[in-house]
Amino acid sequence: MISDNYEYVIGLEIHAQMLTRSKLFCGCSTQFGATANSQTCPVCSGFPGVLPVLNREAVNMTIRTGLAINGQVRLMSEFARKNYFYPDLPNGYQISQFELPIIEHGHVNIELTKGADKKKGGPMKRIGITRIHMEVDAGKNIHEGIVGASWVDLNRTGVPLMEIVSEPDIRTPEEAGEYLKKIRSIVRYLGACDGNMEQGSFRCDANVSIRRTGQAEFGTRAELKNLNSIRNVMRAIEYEGGRQEDLLESGGKVIQETRLWDPTKNESRSMRGKEEAHDYRYFPEPDLPPLIVTEERIEQLRAKMPELPDDKKERFREQYGLNAYDAGLLTGSQRLANYYETVAETVTKAGKSDNKIAANWVAVELLALLNKNSIDIDKSPVSAVNLGNLVALIINNTISGKIAKEVFAIMFETGEAPGKIVKEKGLEQVTDTGAIEAEVDQVLKKHAKEVEAYRDGKTKLLGFFVGQVMKATKGKASPKMVNELLRKKL
Ligand code: ADP
Ligand code: MG
Ligand code: ZN
């Protein structure tokens, strides 16, 4: 954490593994979790004399991502060799893009949580994206469970990555979190990356510096690695800010370096001095021609873009009248958004529609149970149509909200339709005035003392009477009617 005397300057580099079936420059499979070294060939194993062939689909995915972040697509870009030695890099160089990346000058808008209003949402902030370039992933060194040696698994070598580099526009750990969520949501909507930070298919390095409030120049930055969740990114930035402030306040200097975050100790340690671009001896990749992309190809890809998170959120606010908070939550993933739309549609088909109640049941009740049981929305035991029908039963007063929660719990256990459960268990709300009146009379007779107290002015007792009637009817009486009848009779 930093004090008010300082502010953060943060730029994020995201490595997103693309969801192509084959690698960037060969036909090997990109499937995760296969037997070590079973998905390799002379190209991705770095044999001499072989030639890379560019994966067309990877280029398309990168262009689509570029369009989604409002970037410019270079009609001519270039691959470059980034030279360094590491055991999981059999070529001795990584094929990347350097001076002429395929995407430049993009941006996304993030919503700030600070000063946010549930209804209208938070203030928006624009974060610039310097570039997106394509490059190959490295393999994996395996140390665990091996004594006196390390093994190398080259299955990941050559898997296509997009590196998404932000401008140093981010000013707080929260903004970094929002920016990451936005990018992750976009690549997921596009089917370009699965966004899984724990498995490492969506990785983030955070560049962090601080400066005195009001100062124009940037301070020296440190680069933080090994951040495998959004929470860790935010915590690591906070820790780093505090470390830099302590250093500066005690007369020290921040040195440009790469630091490794330790999530168990909640601290970072220096890994190595920061290398400079010239250390890598970049030069244009001699085995690949410049990458030419036609305007026509870009337009074809643009025409097939799905509705993106920001647009979907706006539409949810307009079409369903949802507040900013619910609209944001429900459009967090495409599958959740589709689920909600089916619920809302089912409710409407059943007669009266109420998009807000529908939103509440998805965003609060359903998500709580799914999260608690670690179930993905795709595998929800309650189908969207069944949930829609449950909401319809509440709206048309067949069951009360309280009974609905019981029915919902059974639906979650059994996957059964709400109508069937309500019928089998006889849970229909009693709306027959005569029947409720009889129960009300019984209760008033039984509690004569409380009736007297009520009439003497202890009107708070109304709740008590309602409770007694609800208990007597096993919760099936319409609460609204119980209230009305009690007031009348008291
Ligand atoms: P490298 O490739 O050496 O890491 P880049 O120039 O690509 O360097 O920048 C990496 C990231 O660092 C970018 O996201 C950029 O916004 C960010 N950055 C640059 N200068 C600073 C700074 N002074 N403080 C914080 N972040 C910075
Ligand atoms: Mg970097
Ligand atoms: Zn291969």
Side-chain angles (χ1 to χ4, degrees), residues 174-314:
E174 294 72 36
E175 286 180 24
E178 289 308 314
Y179 171 78
L180 275 174
K181 279 188 220 160
K182 180 54 66 75
I183 299 290
R184 189 174 61 176
S185 161
I186 289 172
V187 294
R188 281 180 170 164
Y189 266 59
L190 293 170
C193 170
D194 65 19
N196 189 326
M197 287 185 87
E198 285 99 83
Q199 275 182 15
S201 43
F202 188 83
R203 313 194 278 270
C204 171
D205 300 340
N207 295 271
V208 181
S209 64
I210 62 169
R211 62 179 171 187
R212 280 207 158 266
T213 329
Q215 176 187 312
E217 313 84 67
F218 291 162
T220 306
R221 69 183 147 123
E223 186 180 41
L224 306 171
K225 285 191 181 286
N226 197 31
L227 309 170
N228 64 358
S229 70
I230 291 182
R231 211 180 121 176
N232 276 336
V233 171
M234 293 167 61
R235 279 156 78 181
I237 293 171
E238 270 184 13
Y239 174 87
E240 181 59 20
R243 188 189 72 86
Q244 291 184 11
E245 179 168 349
D246 288 348
L247 208 60
L248 294 177
E249 287 295 310
S250 59
K253 255 175 132 178
V254 176
I255 48 165
Q256 189 162 324
E257 62 181 348
T258 300
R259 299 182 66 87
L260 208 61
W261 176 249
D262 183 335
T264 49
K265 287 195 188 140
N266 263 328
E267 59 183 41
S268 65
R269 60 172 191 277
S270 179
M271 185 163 100
R272 56 167 189 254
K274 172 79 183 146
E275 61 290 332
E276 301 284 345
H278 63 248
D279 294 330
Y280 289 114
R281 301 290 189 271
Y282 276 104
F283 58 85
E285 169 58 55
D287 289 341
L288 288 162
L291 171 58
I292 308 291
V293 175
T294 62
E295 298 270 9
E296 195 189 352
R297 178 171 177 187
I298 298 169
E299 289 320 308
Q300 274 171 4
L301 290 167
R302 195 194 303 276
K304 279 189 285 180
M305 292 284 275
E307 183 181 35
L308 290 167
D310 287 354
D311 294 335
K312 205 186 271 291
K313 181 177 169 187
E314 251 339 277

Side-chain angles (χ1 to χ4, degrees), residues 9-13 165-168 207 209 218-219 221 223 274:
V9 173
I10 303 159
L12 299 182
E13 293 167 87
V165 183
S166 89
E167 289 287 306
N207 295 271
S209 64
F218 291 162
R221 69 183 147 123
E223 186 180 41
K274 172 79 183 146

Side-chain angles (χ1 to χ4, degrees), residues 347-385:
V347 176
T348 307
K349 265 193 208 144
K352 287 186 235 164
S353 70
D354 192 324
N355 299 321
K356 279 175 202 158
I357 297 189
N360 217 41
W361 273 87
V362 177
V364 182
E365 307 295 337
L366 178 70
L367 285 188
L369 278 189
L370 290 177
N371 288 342
K372 195 172 136 204
N373 295 284
S374 304
I375 301 174
D376 199 80
I377 184 79
D378 272 354
K379 308 229 161 64
S380 168
V382 178
S383 72
V385 169

Side-chain angles (χ1 to χ4, degrees), residues 365-477:
E365 307 295 337
L366 178 70
L367 285 188
L369 278 189
L370 290 177
N371 288 342
K372 195 172 136 204
N373 295 284
S374 304
I375 301 174
D376 199 80
I377 184 79
D378 272 354
K379 308 229 161 64
S380 168
V382 178
S383 72
V385 169
N386 279 346
L387 184 53
N389 284 325
L390 177 72
V391 174
L393 291 177
I394 306 167
I395 297 174
N396 67 26
N397 282 322
T398 307
I399 54 174
S400 66
K402 190 159 170 259
I403 293 283
K405 286 191 187 175
E406 272 175 46
V407 175
F408 182 64
I410 300 171
M411 289 166 73
F412 199 87
E413 287 265 301
T414 63
E416 276 177 3
K420 184 167 170 245
I421 298 168
V422 169
K423 202 165 271 158
E424 273 176 12
K425 306 219 171 234
L427 294 171
E428 282 101 342
Q429 184 157 244
V430 179
T431 48
D432 167 8
T433 321
I436 298 178
E437 201 169 353
E439 297 291 352
V440 167
D441 289 341
Q442 281 277 329
V443 165
L444 295 184
K445 208 158 111 199
K446 203 164 139 201
H447 299 282
K449 244 175 46 205
E450 283 83 357
V451 172
E452 209 168 301
Y454 180 90
R455 290 185 177 142
D456 279 347
K458 228 177 148 192
T459 50
K460 266 200 251 154
L461 279 169
L462 185 69
F464 165 78
F465 294 119
V466 173
Q468 291 299 314
V469 178
M470 292 310 284
K471 206 168 132 195
T473 58
K474 298 200 175 72
K476 291 188 293 183

